[in-house]
Amino acid sequence: MPASTKSSLKIVDMSDETITQNTIAINSQHDDRRLLFVLERLVQHLHDFARETRLTTEEWEAGIQFLTQVGQKCTDLRQEFVLLSDILGFSVLVDSISHPKPKTATIGTLLGPFHTHDAQDHENGTSICSEDKGEPLLIEGRLTDTQGNPIEGATIDLWHCDKDGLYDTQYADREEADMRGIYHTKADGTFVVKATKPVPYPIPHDGPVGALLKRLNRHPYRPAHIHFIIEKEGYDRLITALYHKGDPYETSDAVFGVKSPLLFSLDKLGKKKAQKYNMNEDDWYLPWDFKIITDAESRELIVAKNTEALQKLGRDNFVLSEAGLPIAAPLD
Ligand SMILES: [Fe+2]
């Protein structure tokens, strides 16, 4: 018996009315107050969902079967659960709750299922792409704090699809990272990437998530975009993406990632930059500045946003942890 188990705990009088409190009570025999709070709310909402929809056993079975198929579709390189979270709008919601940004900083968006941890370090000005992956694109960026001070030595991890709308992980013969790389910002906060023009692509839809989209009469496409993770010690990690303005799927992204401050337009590179970077003047050019916030700024914002959100939900007697997250009230 765990040390914190309450010997007085008794699960009795099981009914539709008592099952929720009974489940919460039996889950509460530990001292992790964040886990207590999260699980209490999860059980409450899950039970209310069944009560409200009058869920049938057949529907419950279909749901279990669907989630089983989602799990079975997952591999080291295929994350069907992330896809499911994405198409339900859950990923982008969690990112925005967990990493709120002031208007003065670059806004975040969902990570998506194609990030890997095997991208190589790249020198500024080198290319992340192997041969014949699409129309050449030069990205010139600058990373600063919200006051405009340059941030040196941050990592810029970026990845995008090739001209056929596929990530490297979608090729069966993949041997190493392609169309992805990690750059380091210089003293003035700048970085330079050679990539290719991204194109719209469908999310993998040959699995259970694709079948669900079809059932819902939804298309699986995402507008052309480039993913970024920007990290520097002392700063809140930024997960974001830039989206091509005017893309046919700009207003119907299958995974809800598009936010208007993240839309880019492309220019032609021009003669001067083409000479400087050994490219053609008709190649594409994307200049973009990113602004990130410190861990302290992030925590302050999380506390303010979480306080406001809980008050809006009518939870007047809430307790926030050191990190600013709601937790169960201490036991008397
Ligand atoms: Fe993507």
Side-chain angles (χ1 to χ4, degrees), residues 111-114 159-161 167 201 203 222-223 225-227 241 243:
L111 176 68
F114 294 116
W159 64 105
H160 68 88
C161 70
Y167 286 84
Y201 67 81
I203 59 169
R222 302 213 62 206
H225 60 275
I226 304 168
H227 295 274
Y243 294 87

Side-chain angles (χ1 to χ4, degrees), residues 99-107 146 292-293 297-298 301 305:
H99 296 279
K101 301 288 187 295
K103 286 201 165 57
T104 47
T106 306
I107 198 167
T146 51
I292 57 174
I293 57 175
E297 287 173 309
S298 171
L301 198 57
K305 293 260 182 195

Side-chain angles (χ1 to χ4, degrees), residues 76-92:
D76 286 350
L77 294 175
R78 170 82 180 250
Q79 234 308 349
E80 195 78 359
F81 268 112
V82 174
L83 268 188
L84 178 60
S85 168
D86 293 351
I87 66 123
L88 292 177
F90 198 61
S91 306
V92 79

